[in-house]
Amino acid sequence: MDYDVVVIGGGPGGYVAAIKSAQLGMKVACVEYDEDSNGKQKMGGTCLNVGCIPSKSLLDSSYKFKQISASLPEHGINVSKANYDLSKMMDRKNDIVKKLTSGVSQLLKHNKVESIFGKGKLISKNEIEISDSKGKKKTLKAKYIVLATGSRPIYLDSVPWNGTNIVGSAGALEFSKTPKKLAIIGAGVIGLELGSVWSRLGSEVEIFEAEKTFLPMLDDDISRLIEREFKNQNININLGAMVKSSKNNRSSVTLEIDFAGQVEKRKFDKVIVAVGRKPFSENLLAKGCGLDVDEKGFIEVNNFCQTKLENIYAIGDLVRGPMLAHKAMEEGVMAAERIAGKKMEVNYDLVPSVIYTHPEIAWVGKTEKQLKQENIEFKKGSFPFAASGRALAAGDSVGAVKILADKESDQVLGVQIFGNSASEILQQGLIGMEFSASSEDFGLTMFSHPTVSEALHEAALAVNKQAIHIGN
Ligand code: FAD
Ligand code: NAD
């Protein structure tokens, strides 16, 4: 064998699996075909190149601009007409991406992982064929293989992207000019995050969502709060809206939209299609290699990310579960540890989710809807940020923390947060939940004052009707 482990894909799942395998003493290679404009191999996958990192860079830049132009006067600070330089904002984003992707290449090198430039294809249980950009092929032999080829955006036949005025999420991170009128198809995570970026920079944003329910993964009381806030931010979310067709008029796009039977035509400068992602498994498995994909393109794995071929693992967006970078990374660590004969598990009940709008939306564990479906009796407590001293001082007091706990044992089963720093507050709840904390445990823990985290403390106290700073 040439290697102990070969990983196909250099995204957060793949590069973490490769580094961890090397740290555990194995001879490892990581195969990645993505390249930059100079033809140099680019590690980091969707997350670093066209996902988590560039989107957060633009979210942070656009939020700073919005704060200066809209929130500072409330603090008594006047800035005469703020403006922005979009190309500088984009350069900053690109620099951050470059720093991080080259950092991953350095980390692989530092851990003695061989980076192989090319497209990998599984041809048998222990063999991978690599094709380079010139079509030259070679075969590698490995004891263990980790498949980590990630995902791709879903294509909509009715709104085919053209890279200019109809784009997917990657194109929407590259606009050279702020669109005046922007349509987004899909009110999911990408729709809300990128809608926020461009709305803050001045676009009139309309989101068209096929489903009638907004953010169905959350409880209705929380999603209602969020919907109201988006309205305040002038992001218009149309639910039950099916885009039937699109006409590209070169400098604009006309969408034909079905609003529950009433069809209307609307014209936009740009359209972002963000209707979900699908596993990237095309051309990954050669006929007869022993593995296959399911009807949606996912590779089937057990709880430990092992495929039906014992020496082959598949992780990240390529397999079941939420398509999130932290989930991919944890699965990368688990695959490496399992290959090394260790017993690591991923706790799939506690995968946190965050939507990085302002305020942020964050949740983990079960919702009321799920607990009712599963016939689990529960009690609940919530605390509005409007009653948090720190949130008020910051002028950032929209939203609430909601905690659900088992009626009898008091163990916390779910946390949903909409508010300032929700992602960071959620992590505190999650650590407690990993240790099976009860709402009383959270209530008995001392929280620094004044912090926005106190809202978690008070929501936990409210579960047992012991909140101090709101009525029980
Ligand atoms: P990927 O990151 O997709 O990496 C797969 C890699 O495999 C790619 O580099 C690809 O080029 C390579 N590859 C594919 N086929 C082959 C082959 N045959 N041979 C060699 N290489 C191959 N998640 C979060 O948790 N937080 C966020 O804030 C967040 N923001 C996002 C924002 C956007 C706009 C998008 C699109 C996604 C975001 N995500 C976020 C999701 C996150 O990017 C993915 O869940 C994560 O990247 C999945 O990691 P992965 O390693 O499974 O796959
Ligand atoms: P999504 O699944 O979050 O949302 C897609 C939305 O599009 C859904 O609400 C769906 O009902 C709607 N939709 C589907 N078909 C439609 C149609 N024909 N017309 C109108 N609406 C339609 O998917 P996404 O926003 O594209 O994000 C893709 C993945 O990337 C997600 O799984 C997400 O986990 C990941 N991601 C994560 C983050 C984060 O963690 N902050 C950020 C961005 C992306």
Side-chain angles (χ1 to χ4, degrees), residues 186 188-190 193 208-211 274-277 323-324 354 356:
V189 193
I190 292 180
E193 290 188 356
F208 301 102
E209 165 60 51
E211 295 293 327
V275 294
R277 295 177 66 84
M323 289 183 169
L324 296 169
V354 179
Y356 294 86

Side-chain angles (χ1 to χ4, degrees), residues 8 120-124 127-128 145 147 284-286 289 291 312:
I8 307 183
K121 186 179 208 166
L122 187 73
I123 49 174
S124 80
E127 286 172 304
I128 298 143
I145 294 167
L147 305 174
L284 175 64
L285 307 175
C289 72
L291 280 188
I312 301 184

Side-chain angles (χ1 to χ4, degrees), residues 55-56 156 158 185-191 193 208-211 216-217 241-243 273-277 317 322-324 326 353-356:
S55 62
K56 269 72 230 175
L156 260 193
S158 53
I185 307 182
V189 193
I190 292 180
E193 290 188 356
F208 301 102
E209 165 60 51
E211 295 293 327
M217 63 292 231
M242 275 304 279
V243 177
V273 180
V275 294
R277 295 177 66 84
D317 286 8
M323 289 183 169
L324 296 169
H326 42 274
S353 293
V354 179
I355 306 181
Y356 294 86

Side-chain angles (χ1 to χ4, degrees), residues 8-14 31-34 45-47 50-52 55-56 118-120 148-151 169 190 277 280 316-317 323-326 328 356:
I8 307 183
V31 186
E32 172 61 62
Y33 76 89
D34 199 10
T46 305
C47 174
V50 289
C52 325
S55 62
K56 269 72 230 175
K119 225 170 211 170
T149 54
S151 63
S169 55
I190 292 180
R277 295 177 66 84
F280 186 20
D317 286 8
M323 289 183 169
L324 296 169
H326 42 274
Y356 294 86

Side-chain angles (χ1 to χ4, degrees), residues 5-19:
V5 183
V6 169
V7 180
I8 307 183
Y15 81 72
V16 167
I19 290 174

